[in-house]
Amino acid sequence: MMKTLWGACLLYLAAGFRAAPVEPVAKTARLEDKEREVNVLMFGVIQLSESFNYVFETTEAKIARIHQTLRRHEGTLQDLGREAEHAAQVEREMKEVIQRLQEQMAEQRAQTKMTKDCLASLEQEEAELKTKVQKLEMYLHTNVSIKELQERAKEQADILNGLQHFTQDQKENIETQNKKLSKLQKMSETMT
């Protein structure tokens, strides 16, 4: 568009210079000088229009490359945006997992503390029982040994068994005596 505008200007100028009236020779020299000047000016205008045309075309190409680069960068920015959203989602999930792990660790610590307290209590009870057993053993050793107690208990059990047998024998003797007495009473009643 710019090229055609400059071309039209140049044609108009050239037509204007060629349509100059023919005059005597003296004027012709001046006219030739002016024509040369006009040719130089025309050449300059042509050079200027070509320069403008070149600048216009190169600027248009640069703008096209810039638009293409911007589109690529826009795509890259969209990709980066999606990756940032994904990374944010992963970060949220990791924070949730870490929070759950911290809660589980707190529960484990509480259970461990309860277990340690229970174990300490059991150890204390065990120590108290050991002390009681030791005191009891010392008491038994000082007063009577366990074997002596067992022997005495056995002796007492034997005596008790003997008494039970003796009592049983006595019961049987009493029954036998009672039977004999009853026979004697019957006999004495019949005789009387």
Side-chain angles (χ1 to χ4, degrees):
M1 179 175 168
M2 188 91 150
K3 191 174 188 180
T4 55
L5 182 63
W6 281 104
C9 288
L10 290 175
L11 285 175
Y12 180 71
L13 279 173
F17 286 117
R18 288 194 181 132
V22 178
E23 296 190 10
V25 178
K27 286 189 178 180
T28 318
R30 262 193 319 178
L31 191 62
E32 285 178 9
D33 287 340
K34 282 189 178 181
E35 260 184 47
R36 276 189 206 122
E37 284 179 20
V38 167
N39 283 340
V40 169
L41 283 174
M42 289 284 282
F43 182 74
V45 168
I46 290 171
Q47 289 290 326
L48 185 63
S49 74
E50 286 178 359
S51 294
F52 278 140
N53 188 35
Y54 174 75
V55 168
F56 176 74
E57 287 175 358
T58 55
T59 304
E60 196 172 40
K62 286 179 184 176
I63 289 173
R65 282 194 304 268
I66 289 171
H67 278 296
Q68 190 177 18
T69 304
L70 283 175
R71 273 188 240 115
R72 277 196 312 256
H73 286 307
E74 188 175 295
T76 304
L77 283 174
Q78 287 176 352
D79 290 344
L80 287 173
R82 284 191 291 273
E83 287 179 16
E85 287 176 19
H86 179 70
Q89 176 66 27
V90 169
E91 183 181 1
R92 281 192 297 273
E93 290 172 0
M94 286 178 66
K95 283 182 180 178
E96 290 174 7
V97 168
I98 288 171
Q99 184 178 1
R100 276 188 249 134
L101 284 174
Q102 287 174 341
E103 290 170 359
Q104 288 176 356
M105 286 172 59
E107 289 176 11
Q108 287 292 340
R109 282 190 202 111
Q111 286 180 346
T112 302
K113 186 180 182 308
M114 282 176 36
T115 305
K116 281 183 180 177
D117 292 345
C118 183
L119 186 60
S121 174
L122 287 174
E123 286 175 347
Q124 184 178 358
E125 286 179 21
E126 183 183 3
E128 288 173 1
L129 279 174
K130 281 182 180 177
T131 305
K132 285 179 182 178
V133 167
Q134 287 173 351
K135 285 181 182 177
L136 183 61
E137 284 177 351
M138 286 175 59
Y139 173 76
L140 289 175
H141 283 302
T142 55
N143 290 328
V144 178
S145 73
I146 292 176
K147 269 190 171 180
E148 288 177 7
L149 285 174
Q150 286 175 341
E151 287 173 3
R152 283 187 188 173
K154 190 177 177 189
E155 287 174 7
Q156 295 294 326
D158 290 343
I159 291 171
L160 188 62
N161 279 337
L163 285 172
Q164 284 176 344
H165 286 298
F166 180 72
T167 307
Q168 186 67 32
D169 288 341
Q170 291 301 318
K171 276 185 182 178
E172 289 174 6
N173 283 338
I174 290 173
E175 283 179 15
T176 306
Q177 292 295 326
N178 280 339
K179 285 179 184 177
K180 285 181 182 178
L181 268 174
S182 348
K183 277 184 182 180
L184 284 175
Q185 273 180 349
K186 282 182 186 176
M187 284 173 69
S188 87
E189 284 175 6
T190 52
M191 292 184 147
T192 33

